[in-house]
Amino acid sequence: MSADTASDARTPVRQIAALGLPFLLGAFLSSVSGVIDTAMMGRFGSAELAAVSGASAVFDVFSGVVLATVVGHQILAARFAGRDDPAGLRRSLRSSMWYCGAFAVPLTLLCLFAGGRLTGLISDGDGGVSVLGADYLLARGPSLLLLVPFSLLAATFNAYKRPRYATVASVVINVANILLDWLLIYGPGPFPRLGATGNGLATTISWLLGIGCLLVAARRFRLAELLRRPGPGGPVDFETSIPKLGWPAVVSMGLDYSSNAIFFAIIGGLGQAALGGGRIAFQMMVLLYGVGTAFSAAARILIGRAAGAGEVGDLPVLWRGSRLLLMPPALVVGVVLVVAPGPAASLFTSFPDVLRDGAAAMPLIGLCLPLIAWTLGNVSVLRALGQTRSDMYGNLVAALCVQLPVSWLLASVAGLGIAGAYAGVVGYWLVRGALTEFLARARIRHETRAAAVARDGGALESAASDPGARPA
């Protein structure tokens, strides 16, 4: 690949795009499903929308932690696939099942038995909203357990450049979720009108169908047969323990979503309409963030495979390719949200007060998009090279030192409302992008120097073993 990359600067962009398009379809459908989900609740009732908004903020913390536990397997799977080591991948998969399950089980129990109290933390103690949120989390909680096998199987397929399997499963999940949302929320015909409970139940049933699709794909791919093959053995060139790779991602993701929960608590203090409008703006950011992560994930896989194969010279080229792919569309969509915030917010709700607050936050989302694209390109490098701790540091500083203090000061103290709260989000992405840029550059320099030292050491050893050889 190195020679091709050197002769054609567009090649990395095409490679990332080709691998990322299936991810994009899956992420886009997931985000669209979330948009439709929010819109359905927004037209069902304002109390139900507030309950699902508050409970979803809590659930997002838990699901983010569970997904973060899979990061170690995502990193190692690409490395082991790059050097054709199924035995190493099998060990990673087995360790990850135990590690991920140790987080998923207690978090699921919290959803089942403490949903009302958890929702009350976000909804400012509103009893009616807490009851609705408890019912929602009771129905949706089991999907946390389903995330574990789904994510591990998807990461394994992606490492072997087979993202279409997870994409097909995502299509099934999201189409089923939209249909079941309509049937179980509104209760047409013989179906019960379950509201927020139906929303959560639709999600859980959809994830069951998605796992079924991946199990069929595993049989067609002969995954079990592949994993029984031997490999070259030996560790990769960084800490390969699943917990050591996973805990910084768990802390980072847990902090990320916990700060979002605190962020929504700040917005919730502004009123019920602000909480609904804030959720709408956040859902728009999630929709567009999902598009970016599709290509960021593709870049991470290609960088990890290149590192596993010893092609260190391709690392900066692939990094630049991810930027060339992510930044232009982020700029275009960002301008649209700044210029036309009202129409963007009207996609989610028709309630005037909620629409007003949602539209007030949309221009700030537009400013975030180029910063998100910048950050995602940097994070793909750090994670591919096993630097989950560096990614964690960038997130910690940006969330604790910038987002939450700025959001609280501008929204609550200065009285700028929801626009002030989302100004803190802009600051978060600006600081995190700058920190991850510095860390990614430093890591690529380290990898390049280490490869040069190994190459020079090999040449000297060869010369020493052949006295007649003359160094060039």
Side-chain angles (χ1 to χ4, degrees):
M1 172 182 150
S2 299
D4 294 338
T5 303
S7 62
D8 184 357
R10 296 172 298 174
T11 297
V13 177
R14 289 201 299 266
Q15 288 181 331
I16 296 169
L19 186 58
L21 282 174
F23 295 154
L24 174 60
L25 178 59
F28 181 75
L29 286 173
S30 179
S31 298
V32 167
S33 177
V35 169
I36 295 173
D37 184 276
T38 302
M40 285 187 181
M41 294 311 303
R43 285 167 171 78
F44 186 88
S46 59
E48 285 77 6
L49 175 61
V52 172
S53 297
S56 293
V58 174
F59 186 87
D60 287 346
V61 176
F62 294 171
S63 63
V65 169
V66 173
L67 289 172
T69 62
V70 183
V71 166
H73 181 64
Q74 290 173 338
I75 294 169
L76 293 178
R79 284 287 180 118
F80 290 133
R83 72 180 195 182
D84 193 21
D85 188 0
L89 196 147
R90 182 176 65 250
R91 293 192 302 272
S92 173
L93 193 60
R94 184 169 53 244
S95 298
S96 296
M97 282 294 295
W98 287 103
Y99 185 67
C100 299
F103 284 84
V105 170
L107 293 177
T108 301
L109 294 176
L110 280 175
C111 285
L112 298 182
F113 298 108
R117 293 181 180 180
L118 293 171
T119 305
L121 296 174
I122 307 299
S123 61
D124 203 23
D126 189 317
V129 171
S130 295
V131 171
L132 291 170
D135 293 339
Y136 172 80
L137 288 176
L138 180 66
R140 191 177 181 184
S143 63
L144 288 173
L145 294 175
L146 303 177
L147 275 175
V148 174
F150 185 93
S151 301
L152 291 176
L153 283 172
T156 303
F157 289 135
N158 294 341
Y160 283 99
K161 297 186 179 181
R162 298 293 192 279
R164 64 180 181 273
Y165 296 140
T167 299
V168 171
S170 295
V171 170
V172 171
I173 289 172
N174 291 294
V175 171
N177 190 49
I178 292 170
L179 176 61
L180 290 170
D181 268 343
W182 175 63
L183 293 175
L184 298 177
I185 292 173
Y186 294 104
F191 291 91
R193 184 179 172 87
L194 299 177
T197 302
N199 189 317
L201 186 58
T203 302
T204 299
I205 296 172
S206 300
W207 277 98
L208 275 171
L209 295 174
I211 289 178
C213 291
L214 283 188
L215 291 175
V216 171
R219 184 173 181 177
R220 294 189 60 182
F221 186 62
R222 297 182 178 178
L223 182 61
E225 179 182 333
L226 171 65
L227 293 177
R228 283 195 293 266
R229 287 170 42 199
V236 296
D237 56 355
F238 54 80
E239 294 177 322
T240 59
S241 165
I242 290 294
K244 287 181 179 179
L245 286 173
W247 78 259
V250 170
V251 172
S252 181
M253 191 71 76
L255 169 74
D256 203 15
Y257 283 98
S258 296
S259 66
N260 286 336
I262 297 171
F263 174 72
F264 275 105
I266 294 171
I267 294 178
L270 302 175
Q272 185 172 298
L275 182 58
R279 183 68 188 181
I280 283 172
F282 187 78
Q283 194 64 57
M284 176 62 78
M285 185 170 69
V286 168
L287 170 65
L288 299 170
Y289 175 84
V291 173
T293 55
F295 297 106
S296 173
R300 173 182 52 76
I301 290 169
L302 291 174
I303 291 170
R305 288 178 62 93
E311 298 173 347
V312 179
D314 292 336
L315 304 184
V317 180
L318 289 166
W319 183 27
R320 288 193 296 269
S322 68
R323 293 184 172 196
L324 291 173
L325 200 59
L326 289 169
M327 191 61 72
L331 290 169
V332 171
V333 178
V335 169
V336 171
L337 293 182
V338 170
V339 173
S346 66
L347 295 173
F348 298 87
T349 186
S350 57
F351 294 108
D353 291 344
V354 178
L355 180 61
R356 180 200 62 222
D357 285 340
M362 284 297 172
L364 283 304
I365 301 299
L367 294 178
C368 285
L369 294 184
L371 302 176
I372 291 173
W374 178 30
T375 304
L376 287 175
N378 299 334
V379 169
S380 67
V381 173
L382 293 175
R383 291 195 173 186
L385 300 179
Q387 301 303 299
T388 53
R389 192 177 302 180
S390 296
D391 181 31
M392 178 191 70
Y393 292 147
N395 194 16
L396 280 169
V397 172
L400 297 181
C401 299
V402 180
Q403 179 186 352
L404 296 180
V406 171
S407 293
W408 175 71
L409 287 171
L410 295 183
S412 302
V413 179
L416 297 181
I418 195 168
Y422 271 92
V425 178
V426 176
Y428 165 84
W429 287 112
L430 177 63
V431 171
R432 189 177 179 189
L435 289 174
T436 53
E437 170 84 14
F438 171 78
L439 294 168
R441 287 183 179 276
R443 190 61 196 179
I444 286 181
R445 285 196 299 268
H446 172 80
E447 294 282 338
T448 303
R449 285 197 300 268
V453 169
R455 191 166 51 247
D456 293 344
L460 290 173
E461 183 178 347
S462 176
S465 63
D466 183 3
R470 183 184 299 273

